[in-house]
């Protein structure tokens, strides 16, 4: 299969093998090149494109959509 394109609006990382990207209505998690599944994609039920991400620890992430929706 061909490669797909993801345009990130924002990113947040805790280490090189724990980086999160948001864009459009999707969240992409990168687990590092040594992982069996280095990339995972999740769609959020956002009513607008995702524009910001922040976290205090790997299981405590906040994502904000352009229309002000907040996901935790």
């Amino acid at each position: 299969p061909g490669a797909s394109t993801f345009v990130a609006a924002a990113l947040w990382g805790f280490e090189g093998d724990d980086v999160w990207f948001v864009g459009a209505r999707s969240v992409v998690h990168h687990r590092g090149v040594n992982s069996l599944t280095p990339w995972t994609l999740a769609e959020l039920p956002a009513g607008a494109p995702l524009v910001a991400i922040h976290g205090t620890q790997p299981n405590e992430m906040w994502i904000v959509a352009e229309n002000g929706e907040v996901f935790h």
Side-chain angles (χ1 to χ4, degrees), residues 42-53:
E43 299 290 324
L44 289 181
L50 303 173
V51 295
I53 186 168

Side-chain angles (χ1 to χ4, degrees), residues 26-67:
S26 302
V27 179
V28 174
H29 183 209
H30 179 62
R31 292 187 188 95
V33 296
N34 295 323
S35 172
L36 293 175
T37 56
W39 297 97
T40 55
L41 172 72
E43 299 290 324
L44 289 181
L50 303 173
V51 295
I53 186 168
H54 182 76
T56 57
Q57 55 190 13
N59 62 348
E60 197 62 32
M61 303 294 297
W62 295 87
I63 298 169
V64 180
E66 193 174 67
N67 64 358

